[in-house]
Amino acid sequence: MTLSNHVKYYIIETICLLYILLFIYASISKLMDFENFQVQVGQSPLISAFASWIAWLVLILELTVALLLCIPKFRIWGLLGAFSLMTFFTIYIFIVLNYSSFVPCSCGGILEKMSWKVHLVFNFVFILLAALAVYWRTKIDHIKIFSYNLKPVRSMFILCLCSTGIMIFLFLYSEDIMHYENPFIRRYAKHPVTFLSKKNLTFNSFYIAGISQGRIYLGNYTSPLHIVSVDEKLQDEQVHQISFIPQKNPFKSITINVRGKYFYLKDGTVPAIFRGKISDWRVNSELKSLPYFTQAEPMDSTAVVFRSNNGKNLAHVLGIYNSNDKTKVVYNDSLLQKQIDGVFDTDGILTYSEKQRKIVYLYLYRNEFIVADQIGRLTFRGNTIDTTSKAKIKVSYIKDSTQRKMSAPPYVVNAKAAVCENLLFVQSKIKGRYENDKLWNQASIIDVYDLSKNAYVLSFPVYNLKDEKMKSFRVSHTHLYAVIGRDLVVYDFKDELRNKMENKDSE
């Protein structure tokens, strides 16, 4: 039994009414909380780079289509617009579920309560309704589409192809922008890390000295020869005492590094680096003929990368020490680039990737990091996603310009860093676009960069404990460990991060 034109007409009217209600409700919901909607669009893995105008465009299109559906003369164009818009949304969801690196939150109205798969089915049903209404309306009223007398099926097929093509183009173009030309929009993937546990350390003077052989080693600023180690689950605790007779060395600031089977006792004011094995915690050798240094990272049992003030006008410079070489110390004064004074403006964090055999130096006051090989040759200069390319500091000179100090609080861009394999983890101090203050008040934000591609990957929060923010952190192949107040906390990496890490199966 075929339906009469009269019945088809009422079905078409019902479909138009459903679309009007859907688009009006969705657009009003977005307008009432537009800032949140724009944030959600900014977190999209497909269209992040275009969030500023796509958020407005979606609102305008939804309201325009609803208006066209309300006017009988333009209803066919409203139905075609509804079909195209819903096809666009459906292709977006399909790509998110099957091809994007993570699945973001939903956006807008009743759809925000749906799962992405339910959302996909919902959209598909509405596409079929719009297609049915267009087909019947053109047949009943003998309407010509686009003035070319296109058949309704062919015209909808063309619209479907156009919507799909536009969505794929936006996806590919946005991905390239977000990873390599990021407009300071962070991507907060859905739970890339999860909190596992915490352990009370009693005192707030602990820092993470290193991770080796499945254990986390904690140094203590007030008791530098006292080391605590715990297993990855923070359950098995062991206390170690470094056996060392300091003799007449004028130690002022001893810190401990643990790398592989060795520990390193360092103090750049002496200057001195002593080495021993974690199997017995006895100092058994010294890396001799070291210059004064402000930071140092062991690269292997005989080589160290360090930062000192031996540059021009006592500026910071990076150098390589190797006890097996005749010259022992080699400087590369071209790695750190002066902007203001060569000291404060080049201040940063020195790290080393053992598996990649790369030196990484992250500036504190500008959006730049340096990657160099084991002998100090520049590999490339990368940028963090914020926009601070020049250090915002004020330096004053005293005592006939021989001493300098900060004359105003500095604008810190990058606070802390850790590297594991090809991934650089940076604690940023700068809020990005489409981010609210609430998250920044509750957590420390970590941005992740892929050094092998020189690309931004994603971001995630490490939440405060009792208003205490993260003081130090390290990363392994599978976990992030952080000291927060008097607690050591552990976060588990999920697939989004584990799959990005090269040599992730090796230890």
Side-chain angles (χ1 to χ4, degrees):
M1 183 181 69
T2 58
L3 297 176
S4 65
N5 287 346
H6 187 69
V7 174
K8 291 179 181 178
Y9 175 79
Y10 279 108
I11 293 175
I12 293 170
E13 292 293 306
T14 302
I15 293 171
C16 290
L17 181 61
L18 286 174
Y19 262 110
I20 291 169
L21 292 174
L22 173 66
F23 286 148
I24 291 293
Y25 179 80
S27 57
I28 289 177
S29 298
K30 295 182 180 77
L31 275 172
M32 291 178 65
D33 195 8
F34 183 75
E35 183 178 355
N36 183 52
F37 171 60
Q38 198 171 43
V39 168
Q40 290 174 328
V41 175
Q43 297 306 316
S44 163
L46 273 66
I47 51 177
S48 308
F50 316 114
S52 58
W53 59 268
I54 279 188
W56 284 108
L57 181 62
V58 169
L59 277 172
I60 293 170
L61 288 176
E62 286 180 341
L63 290 171
T64 301
V65 170
L67 179 62
L68 291 174
L69 289 171
C70 291
I71 304 173
K73 181 179 180 182
F74 302 111
R75 191 157 291 162
I76 186 62
W77 300 108
L79 286 169
L80 288 169
F83 174 84
S84 300
L85 201 55
M86 199 58 72
T87 300
F88 186 86
F89 293 154
T90 304
I91 297 300
Y92 168 80
I93 296 171
F94 180 80
I95 293 176
V96 164
L97 290 175
N98 293 280
Y99 298 102
S100 70
S101 56
F102 64 93
V103 178
C105 299
S106 301
C107 321
I110 57 173
L111 305 184
E112 196 168 13
K113 309 300 180 183
M114 297 181 183
S115 70
W116 282 91
K117 290 185 178 179
V118 173
H119 197 159
L120 185 65
V121 173
F122 177 90
N123 282 12
F124 189 70
V125 170
F126 266 78
I127 287 175
L128 292 178
L129 290 176
L132 182 65
V134 169
Y135 184 80
W136 279 350
R137 184 65 189 271
T138 55
K139 291 297 183 182
I140 292 172
D141 295 339
H142 305 289
I143 296 174
K144 294 181 179 180
I145 300 177
F146 303 125
S147 302
Y148 292 107
N149 199 22
L150 285 176
K151 293 182 178 180
V153 174
R154 184 176 297 177
S155 64
M156 286 185 286
F157 178 73
I158 293 173
L159 288 174
C160 185
L161 286 179
C162 291
S163 298
T164 303
I166 292 171
M167 189 68 255
I168 292 174
F169 171 78
L170 290 176
F171 168 53
L172 296 176
Y173 190 37
S174 179
E175 283 291 282
D176 187 69
I177 291 175
M178 288 298 294
H179 288 303
Y180 302 105
E181 302 175 32
N182 191 288
F184 205 7
I185 300 174
R186 286 191 170 89
R187 284 190 164 176
Y188 292 99
K190 191 174 183 181
H191 307 304
V193 301
T194 55
F195 176 84
L196 287 184
S197 61
K198 66 177 181 177
K199 179 179 179 61
N200 185 268
L201 301 174
T202 307
F203 303 104
N204 63 0
S205 54
F206 282 100
Y207 62 93
I208 301 176
I211 302 171
S212 178
Q213 301 174 9
R215 297 190 69 82
I216 301 92
Y217 293 88
L218 301 166
N220 193 313
Y221 289 115
T222 58
S223 182
L225 302 183
H226 178 79
I227 303 296
V228 173
S229 72
V230 293
D231 66 351
E232 292 181 340
K233 296 182 179 179
L234 309 188
Q235 294 176 352
D236 176 37
E237 178 180 329
Q238 297 178 13
V239 178
H240 314 279
Q241 186 70 27
I242 295 176
S243 177
F244 177 59
I245 300 175
Q247 299 175 350
K248 296 182 180 180
N249 290 313
F251 290 111
K252 295 180 181 179
S253 180
I254 293 176
T255 56
I256 306 297
N257 261 112
V258 175
R259 175 154 286 149
K261 61 182 180 180
Y262 295 101
F263 72 89
Y264 299 84
L265 186 151
K266 308 178 299 182
D267 190 337
T269 63
V270 175
I273 297 180
F274 295 88
R275 189 188 71 211
K277 292 185 177 180
I278 60 176
S279 57
D280 58 14
W281 295 98
R282 292 179 179 273
V283 169
N284 55 34
S285 62
E286 179 183 0
L287 304 182
K288 297 181 178 180
S289 302
L290 274 163
Y292 289 95
F293 60 86
T294 52
Q295 292 187 47
E297 283 290 318
M299 295 189 289
D300 56 40
S301 60
T302 61
V304 175
V305 56
F306 64 91
R307 188 191 74 183
S308 75
N309 293 108
N310 290 340
K312 186 178 180 181
N313 297 323
L314 301 179
H316 283 145
V317 63
L318 293 182
I320 305 296
Y321 167 89
N322 194 319
S323 61
N324 291 332
D325 291 347
K326 290 182 178 180
T327 54
K328 291 190 182 301
V329 176
V330 177
Y331 293 99
N332 186 337
D333 55 8
S334 65
L335 286 177
L336 301 184
Q337 294 183 327
K338 174 182 174 180
Q339 289 186 335
I340 299 171
D341 70 326
V343 178
F344 293 116
D345 64 341
T346 57
D347 200 3
I349 305 137
L350 179 62
T351 60
Y352 179 71
S353 174
E354 189 174 6
K355 290 290 177 66
Q356 297 283 311
R357 296 183 178 181
K358 294 294 184 182
I359 300 163
V360 182
Y361 187 86
L362 175 73
Y363 288 111
L364 291 180
Y365 307 122
R366 57 177 119 158
N367 64 346
E368 186 180 336
F369 57 87
I370 302 161
V371 179
D373 63 16
Q374 281 185 303
I375 60 174
R377 293 179 305 190
L378 179 68
T379 303
F380 69 89
R381 298 182 187 274
N383 293 101
T384 53
I385 59 174
D386 62 275
T387 57
T388 308
S389 59
K390 185 175 177 61
K392 297 179 181 179
I393 59 173
K394 292 184 178 181
V395 180
S396 297
Y397 293 86
I398 56 178
K399 292 187 178 181
D400 299 325
S401 300
T402 58
Q403 295 182 21
R404 67 196 93 187
K405 67 176 183 178
M406 290 277 199
S407 57
Y411 186 77
V412 181
V413 175
N414 304 304
K416 300 174 184 67
V419 64
C420 185
E421 302 291 2
N422 57 302
L423 296 186
L424 171 64
F425 296 76
V426 176
Q427 182 197 352
S428 176
K429 298 291 286 185
I430 309 298
K431 187 172 67 174
R433 297 173 66 187
Y434 316 122
E435 295 179 24
N436 55 48
D437 293 330
K438 185 178 179 180
L439 178 62
W440 281 80
N441 291 332
Q442 295 176 343
S444 299
I445 305 302
I446 306 294
D447 299 326
V448 185
Y449 301 87
D450 188 337
L451 297 178
S452 62
K453 299 178 181 178
N454 191 14
Y456 166 70
V457 179
L458 54 79
S459 301
F460 61 86
V462 174
Y463 287 95
N464 305 339
L465 293 177
K466 298 179 181 179
D467 297 326
E468 293 277 2
K469 283 189 172 289
M470 182 177 70
K471 294 193 299 182
S472 66
F473 76 98
R474 291 288 185 97
V475 291
S476 70
H477 303 90
T478 55
H479 297 89
L480 177 143
Y481 301 93
V483 174
I484 304 176
R486 289 178 168 83
D487 292 292
L488 174 65
V489 302
V490 55
Y491 280 79
D492 181 47
F493 290 153
K494 297 304 178 184
D495 289 344
E496 287 89 346
L497 280 173
R498 294 191 185 197
N499 292 339
K500 295 287 185 182
M501 200 172 292
E502 295 177 0
N503 302 318
K504 57 182 178 294
D505 296 324
S506 62
E507 284 290 340

